[in-house]
Amino acid sequence: MKIAIGNDHVALKMKLQIKEYLQENEIEVIDVGTHSSERCDYPIYGEKVAELVVSGEADYGILICGTGVGISLSANKVNGIRACVCSEPYSAKLSKQHNNTNILAFGSRVIGIELAKMIVSEWLNAKYEGGRHQKRIDMIREIEKKQLFKLSEKKEDKS
Ligand code: RB5
């Protein structure tokens, strides 16, 4: 399995710890940065990880910022991404089983490293259940398609 991981300056230490945890578990990691504690903007890293996931270069993504909110919001702007912020393992597990999340996010200012590892483990080990959940995932996809259609209509109006 290949995981893309990204973070902002606030979450550098936790990103390195999670990266090590994944590698210890024989998981290949693509680290998109940031690689320093210099102040930076989380949307850059949210988008980078999201692009790797939708292109199939990574199976899943993990994003960490101060709260996990900004970086997951950014990733969710990329079509096909279902990112969720989790501060406990139950939601992480269910987010995979029911919502087929492809990116997990959390906040280095919110949770400690041991809880973060537990959340990652529950999420990675959970399997999407499909069945009755697929209809809702398809509905999310339809929202994305509608937005893209509106955008293309606007462009045509201008040309
Ligand atoms: C950076 O100060 C902080 O805003 C960021 O890490 C994150 O919490 C945003 O959602």
Side-chain angles (χ1 to χ4, degrees), residues 2-47:
K2 212 184 270 185
I3 303 267
I5 194 164
N7 59 287
D8 73 358
H9 54 292
V10 176
L12 179 64
K13 184 176 169 203
M14 186 174 271
K15 187 274 300 284
L16 292 172
Q17 290 170 316
I18 293 294
K19 186 177 169 181
E20 194 182 327
Y21 173 70
L22 293 170
Q23 286 168 337
E24 279 167 6
N25 285 283
E26 318 293 328
I27 292 171
E28 197 179 325
V29 180
I30 309 171
D31 182 353
V32 305
T34 185
H35 303 292
S36 90
S37 52
E38 203 173 306
R39 194 179 297 273
C40 66
D41 301 315
Y42 56 76
I44 296 169
Y45 305 97
E47 185 182 10

Side-chain angles (χ1 to χ4, degrees), residues 125-143:
N125 288 319
K127 299 265 172 296
Y128 175 52
E129 290 174 357
R132 71 183 197 278
H133 304 293
Q134 189 53 44
K135 178 184 163 213
R136 290 125 188 190
I137 302 297
D138 292 342
M139 287 169 78
I140 296 174
R141 193 77 186 127
E142 283 308 313
I143 298 171

Side-chain angles (χ1 to χ4, degrees), residues 8-11 39-40 42 64-71 108-109:
D8 73 358
H9 54 292
V10 176
R39 194 179 297 273
C40 66
Y42 56 76
I64 322 170
C65 65
T67 58
V69 174
I71 205 158
S108 64
R109 285 175 170 157

Side-chain angles (χ1 to χ4, degrees), residues 131-157:
R132 71 183 197 278
H133 304 293
Q134 189 53 44
K135 178 184 163 213
R136 290 125 188 190
I137 302 297
D138 292 342
M139 287 169 78
I140 296 174
R141 193 77 186 127
E142 283 308 313
I143 298 171
E144 286 176 332
K145 282 187 194 160
K146 261 191 252 171
Q147 295 302 314
L148 284 172
F149 183 67
K150 279 186 198 169
L151 207 67
S152 67
E153 272 188 331
K154 271 187 198 160
K155 271 188 194 160
E156 272 176 26
D157 280 354

Side-chain angles (χ1 to χ4, degrees), residues 32-106:
V32 305
T34 185
H35 303 292
S36 90
S37 52
E38 203 173 306
R39 194 179 297 273
C40 66
D41 301 315
Y42 56 76
I44 296 169
Y45 305 97
E47 185 182 10
K48 280 188 183 190
V49 165
E51 287 289 355
L52 287 171
V53 172
V54 290
S55 70
E57 286 169 77
D59 298 301
Y60 296 106
I62 294 179
L63 290 169
I64 322 170
C65 65
T67 58
V69 174
I71 205 158
S72 60
L73 288 179
S74 312
N76 274 318
K77 296 297 172 194
V78 175
N79 274 304
I81 290 298
R82 291 174 302 280
C84 79
V85 192
C86 293
S87 299
E88 36 73 29
Y90 181 79
S91 301
K93 182 177 177 177
L94 268 286
S95 83
K96 180 75 84 57
Q97 291 179 334
H98 291 189
N99 316 112
N100 201 13
T101 45
N102 45 18
I103 292 186
L104 172 70
F106 42 88

